[in-house]
Amino acid sequence: MGGVDTGLLAALRTDPELQRRAAEALEAEGDRAALALRKDGTGPELAAAALTLADLRRGARAKFGERAARMYFTRAGLEQATRWPVAARRAARFAEGAGEVTDLCCGIGTDALAFAEAGLEVEAVDADEATAEVARANAEALGLDVRVRVGDALEVGLGEAVFADPARRSTAGRSFDPAAYSPPLDGLLERLEGARFAAVKLGPGIGHEWVDREGAEAEWVSVDRDVVEACLWLGEAAEVRRRASVRRDGAWHEMTGTGRARAETGEVAAYLYEPDGAVIRAGLVAELAEGLEAHTGHEDIAYLYADELRATPFARAWKVEEVWPLNPKKLRGLLAERRIGRLTIKQRGTGIVPADLRKQLKLKGPNEATLVATRLGERHVAVLCQET
Ligand SMILES: C[S@@+](CC[C@H](N)C(=O)[O-])C[C@H]1O[C@@H](n2cnc3c(N)ncnc32)[C@H](O)[C@@H]1O
């Protein structure tokens, strides 16, 4: 379980003073923190466990904010944990549809804790005893009521509503194959057939063949432009076919649609937009284009062009300066004329490798720009632009 065994966890839970000293020693002494703790008479194993916890709590702030300082973690548990704002938002949606929930793969308990905080009665299950113990410790530390037990997601009884966040492992040759999730996604989905209200957290790269199910909603979630997960909503929990949920600067924004609409295509215009990854994965580029009065340059490429700039949390925007043929030799001269020394290169649909193109361009000069290599119908072009 990545550093802290159950006995050491129990010892740490009863010794907040040691937790405090370990956090302080880590801040003040860095690599020498263990020596500082040992000087106070703490045994080597307990000192190491206390420092591991202090280190994990520090790393957990990005996902959990201030509450990280009170929580317990394993390294694997923290890596797999849902970010708190994402868990809290999902929990609010569960609380609208159900009074109690079974969390089938609770890990260190993030989603279960968020469910409890949203007012749901929570039964949390994990196959791993040590991980379940961490979830219990977290419920106690945050003063939340969560019943945690050890069991197999494919066998335990289900409550009125069900949530599952199977462990995603990469397998040889094929990374994050849903059939290799633990428990396997196909078994889990079979288990949830007919569930009144359910959701399953999935990797953001999940194939659409797994989520295109009759009556299901597939949601992709991004936090500050990073697509962090997909979530499949089942039964009464499914409201639309596709949803993109985007968190920007601490606020949520969402778009919904069918995932089937196609944007109109046309030429490059005054502004270029790159949709958020959650919008692209959810297949909602056409819906975004409509809202921005924009079009694509190629039906399969998710850059949008529009005559006017509109503020949107669902895309980044650049002001277009030039549109050139995608010819490295010519580009080199054109960029040299403009004395562009710092260039961000983006590409979709041309097959060029930005690092290789950069070498060919031999950039020099004080100016800065973005070059977007892409396709307009069958033409390969380079769009020189500036971020707005
Ligand atoms: C991705 S983690 C859950 C993370 C959790 N939602 C959170 O945000 O903290 C997946 C968990 O599933 C557990 N697990 C794997 N196979 C399981 C099974 N068959 N039944 C129950 N739990 C299982 C693992 O032990 C692991 O803790």
Side-chain angles (χ1 to χ4, degrees):
M1 90 170 221
V4 185
D5 77 18
T6 311
L8 291 169
L9 174 66
L12 282 174
R13 284 172 72 178
T14 55
D15 198 343
E17 177 56 22
L18 174 60
Q19 294 180 28
R20 190 189 58 72
R21 279 193 291 124
E24 278 178 11
L26 195 64
E27 287 304 327
E29 310 276 340
D31 288 348
R32 298 174 55 82
L35 281 179
L37 281 193
R38 299 286 308 283
K39 256 191 228 152
D40 297 346
T42 307
E45 282 194 331
L46 189 56
L51 288 170
T52 299
L53 177 62
D55 185 42
L56 290 171
R57 283 177 170 172
R58 212 161 53 169
R61 266 183 234 143
K63 276 188 174 180
F64 291 89
E66 289 308 310
R67 63 173 59 69
R70 287 177 285 150
M71 292 176 67
Y72 295 86
F73 300 99
T74 62
R75 211 164 285 284
L78 174 57
E79 269 166 25
Q80 298 183 67
T82 306
R83 281 166 180 69
W84 186 264
V86 176
R89 181 163 177 272
R90 177 164 37 231
R93 193 161 160 188
F94 265 82
E96 277 174 21
E100 47 135 350
V101 58
T102 310
D103 180 348
L104 284 179
C105 312
C106 72
I108 60 160
T110 321
D111 290 282
L113 298 165
F115 289 135
E117 198 168 85
L120 287 139
E121 202 177 304
V122 191
E123 169 113 336
V125 179
D126 200 280
D128 182 60
E129 169 66 55
T131 303
E133 194 53 29
V134 177
R136 283 184 201 111
N138 282 329
E140 188 190 270
L142 298 186
L144 292 166
D145 193 10
V146 176
R147 275 192 316 278
V148 185
R149 63 193 174 101
V150 177
D152 187 330
L154 297 183
E155 285 168 14
V156 295
L158 303 180
E160 178 200 357
V162 186
F163 172 67
D165 178 5
R168 286 174 257 147
R169 305 176 296 191
S170 58
T171 48
R174 243 187 121 183
S175 58
F176 303 117
D177 177 0
Y181 281 9
S182 180
L185 185 55
D186 31 11
L188 194 56
L189 291 177
E190 211 171 291
R191 184 93 222 273
L192 295 179
E193 239 160 62
R196 184 181 76 73
F197 192 107
V200 181
K201 177 176 154 184
L202 304 164
I206 188 81
H208 283 183
E209 69 278 12
W210 285 94
V211 298
D212 280 336
R213 306 165 72 85
E214 186 63 35
E217 171 184 329
E219 176 189 29
W220 275 264
V221 181
S222 72
V223 176
D224 295 327
R225 297 196 176 129
D226 193 12
V227 189
V228 293
E229 65 170 64
C231 186
L232 183 66
W233 296 86
L234 302 164
E236 289 172 21
E239 293 173 358
V240 288
R241 198 162 171 275
R242 293 286 175 77
R243 186 186 311 260
S245 298
V246 168
R247 189 170 170 85
R248 294 280 298 146
D249 302 326
W252 285 105
H253 307 271
E254 57 176 48
M255 278 183 58
T256 56
T258 62
R260 294 185 172 129
R262 312 292 289 179
E264 282 180 20
T265 56
E267 291 296 312
V268 176
Y271 293 93
L272 179 154
Y273 293 96
E274 180 178 42
D276 186 278
V279 173
I280 296 177
R281 289 184 195 233
L284 298 176
V285 171
E287 283 81 351
L288 176 62
E290 199 182 327
L292 295 172
E293 287 194 55
H295 54 264
T296 59
H298 183 286
E299 58 176 11
D300 295 328
I301 299 177
Y303 288 128
L304 296 174
Y305 307 100
D307 291 329
E308 277 172 35
L309 179 65
R310 295 207 179 156
T312 172
F314 298 111
R316 285 170 78 182
W318 286 262
K319 173 136 186 45
V320 173
E321 293 185 335
E322 306 281 352
V323 184
W324 295 319
L326 183 56
N327 175 328
K329 234 185 192 169
K330 284 192 183 145
L331 288 175
R332 192 164 126 192
L334 290 162
L335 292 166
E337 270 170 30
R338 286 160 183 77
R339 302 176 67 215
I340 292 172
R342 273 177 300 160
L343 189 69
T344 302
I345 302 174
K346 301 170 82 65
Q347 91 82 31
R348 276 180 201 278
T350 65
I352 67 140
V353 178
D356 294 348
L357 177 61
R358 179 182 301 285
K359 274 190 211 141
Q360 291 174 282
L361 295 178
K362 303 207 183 330
L363 301 166
K364 226 164 96 186
N367 298 328
E368 191 173 350
T370 297
L371 190 78
V372 179
T374 186
R375 278 166 70 179
L376 286 181
E378 293 311 307
R379 275 181 297 145
H380 286 201
V381 295
V383 183
L384 186 77
C385 41
Q386 295 288 343
E387 187 146 20
T388 56

